[in-house]
Amino acid sequence: MTLPPNVHDAEPIPAAAREAIDALMQSGDLFRYTAPQDAPVALLEAEFAELLGSKYALAVSSCSAALFLSLKALDLPRDARVLIPGFTFAAVPSSVVHAGCIPVLCEVGENYRIDLADFEGKLGNVQAVIISHMRGHTSDMDAIMELCDAHGIPVIEDAAHSLGTTWHGGNIGTIGKVGCFSFQSYKMINAGEGGILITDDADLVARAVIMSGAYEHNWKKHKGPHGDNSPELEEAFARWQNKLPLYNLRLSNLSAAVIRPQIPELARRVRDGLANHDYVAERLNSSTYINVPDPLAPEKRAPDSIQFNLVGMHEDDIRAFAAASEARGVKVQVFGLSEDNARAFWNWQFMPEKFELPQTRAMLMKACDVRLPVRLTREELDVIADILLASVGEVTGPVPVYGT
Ligand SMILES: *Cc1c(COP(=O)(O)O)cnc(C)c1O
């Protein structure tokens, strides 16, 4: 029998990273602004902007830092209200609080996506929106952009977990005014830590670049598309020179050297991740007690984990299911049941205002999360699916057989 796979180990970093890291160890040139040009961080920014099809990219220390800088770059007034989904990672409301703003939570549906009626109802009273594509589930960006454009409200996409996801064939992260991505180890590209923001707005990126720690004239090392000088960008930098605080959220050249050789691996990871996910989803959906929500029609996903709802099971059964799976070697996180879960909104006790979201809460109490790293083989996926199905069977009893 194949043992349950280790779902926490990442893929090895491509060997090409070693050469770049050796060169950096030799030169000691780890700070992005030491070299006059072509520092690994600057090359990463150019490559990432080109990959996603945006004009500008700014690499920083985390996606949380990218979200924080995006909010600061929007120049919102103190205590501005920022609408975010009630199902996201604690880092998202944290970045809003850190930026001196107030998070406003909106309801999320059973399919993990923003509830548009609640979203629309709360939009009149906010100054910005962060769409967190939680676990890579894309909310209806057509409807969201139409509503936000009509209200003149800027949209930040938290695409931390959506690198490689497309919407009508375009890249997630390029739909709103700014898109933020993560290079933390559990995301599609793994540098341990790191993040990047992309935008087509020269003024916004200029502000973010300076606040990220481009002191004095270091902004001159930031270029426009294809590494060209961009007059628009230079004018924006000149406008903001000395006018903004520095938060020093820069990325190190070492991290960029780990990230860059993974970019050519992305297409394969996305393809394998989706195939793995859809294979396990189909197997799990064979149980009447499990529902893996469908993607929205314009969405092509890039998953490295699977989420599913338990159907018609009480809380005790759900706890027993998670325990049975774990005993067999597959860790299931039920977002609303595991203690102090950072994705359960009631645990965000740092929120300046409290929100009650009955629909989101009900979803979190039965929504399960299982990691599915893209490197898993079919055999390993079958072991995971077998264990999950057997654990459901253990809790719910034998599946009724109809007829004779
Ligand atoms: C991982 C994640 C973040 C935080 O990213 P960091 O790089 O660790 O700051 C934010 N939002 C979502 C949806 C994430 O999955």
Side-chain angles (χ1 to χ4, degrees):
M1 194 195 118
T2 314
L3 290 172
N6 175 337
V7 294
H8 288 281
D9 287 356
E11 271 189 18
I13 305 301
R18 224 165 268 175
E19 221 171 287
I21 291 167
D22 275 349
L24 289 173
M25 301 304 253
Q26 195 57 40
S27 65
D29 185 8
L30 304 181
F31 182 53
R32 68 166 297 166
Y33 292 128
T34 303
Q37 60 192 38
D38 293 341
V41 178
L43 294 174
L44 165 65
E45 288 168 343
E47 289 160 359
F48 199 85
E50 187 169 335
L51 175 77
L52 273 291
S54 59
K55 278 194 191 165
Y56 308 109
L58 169 65
V60 290
S61 53
S62 68
C63 181
S64 302
L67 291 168
F68 163 75
L69 287 170
S70 300
L71 288 167
K72 296 300 285 183
L74 287 175
D75 208 8
L76 301 168
R78 173 158 281 280
D79 290 336
R81 300 172 73 80
V82 179
L83 190 56
I84 66 172
F87 176 41
T88 185
F89 186 55
V92 176
S94 302
S95 71
V96 176
V97 170
H98 193 194
C101 302
I102 296 173
V104 175
L105 304 187
C106 86
E107 288 270 29
V108 168
E110 292 228 312
N111 66 355
Y112 320 127
R113 291 160 175 87
I114 286 171
D115 179 299
L116 288 169
D118 197 47
F119 183 83
E120 184 171 6
K122 286 172 174 165
L123 205 51
N125 199 20
V126 301
Q127 282 81 58
V129 159
I130 298 179
I131 302 299
S132 196
H133 303 296
M134 185 54 173
R135 285 291 189 271
H137 297 284
T138 312
S139 288
D140 184 344
M141 290 307 288
D142 297 348
I144 285 168
M145 292 312 297
E146 200 180 313
L147 287 168
C148 290
D149 288 347
H151 283 77
I153 292 174
V155 173
I156 297 169
E157 281 184 86
D158 167 17
H161 227 141
S162 294
L163 182 57
T165 301
T166 59
W167 178 259
H168 292 300
N171 288 310
I172 285 299
T174 63
I175 301 170
K177 201 175 180 63
V178 42
C180 301
F181 296 84
S182 175
F183 300 123
Q184 185 267 340
S185 287
Y186 291 167
K187 315 295 159 105
M188 264 304 163
I189 291 183
N190 164 26
E193 303 285 358
I196 197 163
L197 67 84
I198 56 170
T199 182
D200 286 343
D201 187 317
D203 202 65
L204 188 147
V205 82
R207 287 173 55 84
V209 163
I210 292 173
M211 287 188 279
S212 77
Y215 58 91
E216 295 169 352
H217 292 163
N218 280 315
W219 52 259
K220 290 187 175 164
K221 293 174 182 169
H222 290 263
K223 305 288 181 189
H226 314 295
D228 297 336
N229 286 332
S230 155
E232 205 190 1
L233 188 61
E234 284 176 19
E235 278 164 31
F237 281 128
R239 199 158 44 243
W240 294 109
Q241 179 79 56
N242 297 343
K243 299 220 167 67
L244 297 168
L246 306 175
Y247 296 102
N248 286 12
L249 299 165
R250 295 173 301 251
L251 192 74
S252 150
N253 278 339
L254 264 183
S255 300
V258 171
I259 294 164
R260 291 180 61 220
Q262 294 182 61
I263 290 178
E265 306 294 319
L266 181 65
R268 173 188 54 81
R269 290 181 185 176
V270 168
R271 189 191 61 217
D272 291 354
L274 182 60
N276 288 357
H277 172 277
D278 289 355
Y279 178 75
V280 175
E282 197 176 325
R283 288 212 51 205
L284 297 185
N285 275 332
S286 70
S287 165
T288 51
Y289 295 100
I290 297 184
N291 177 247
V292 183
D294 287 330
L296 301 186
E299 179 187 18
K300 191 151 184 253
R301 303 193 56 226
D304 59 7
S305 63
I306 189 164
Q307 290 71 44
F308 54 90
N309 297 322
L310 296 171
V311 182
M313 282 167 66
H314 292 295
E315 187 179 321
D316 287 350
D317 295 340
I318 293 174
R319 286 186 193 278
F321 160 76
S325 297
E326 187 160 4
R328 290 176 159 94
V330 173
K331 176 101 185 87
V332 176
Q333 161 176 249
V334 183
F335 293 108
L337 291 183
S338 75
E339 197 182 359
D340 298 330
N341 195 300
R343 300 147 201 90
F345 63 86
W346 54 87
N347 288 327
W348 306 337
Q349 291 176 22
F350 55 83
M351 292 263 296
E353 290 178 23
K354 301 285 180 276
F355 293 84
E356 191 39 63
L357 308 170
Q359 179 181 304
T360 306
R361 182 184 283 268
M363 177 276 285
L364 290 167
M365 298 307 276
K366 61 181 182 186
C368 302
D369 186 34
V370 173
R371 288 180 48 75
L372 284 184
V374 305
R375 61 177 165 71
L376 296 187
T377 62
R378 265 301 140 92
E379 204 180 13
E380 291 172 320
L381 297 170
D382 275 326
V383 174
I384 291 175
D386 288 344
I387 287 175
L388 293 172
L389 291 166
S391 303
V392 165
E394 184 179 310
V395 171
T396 58
V399 179
V401 178
Y402 298 104
T404 47

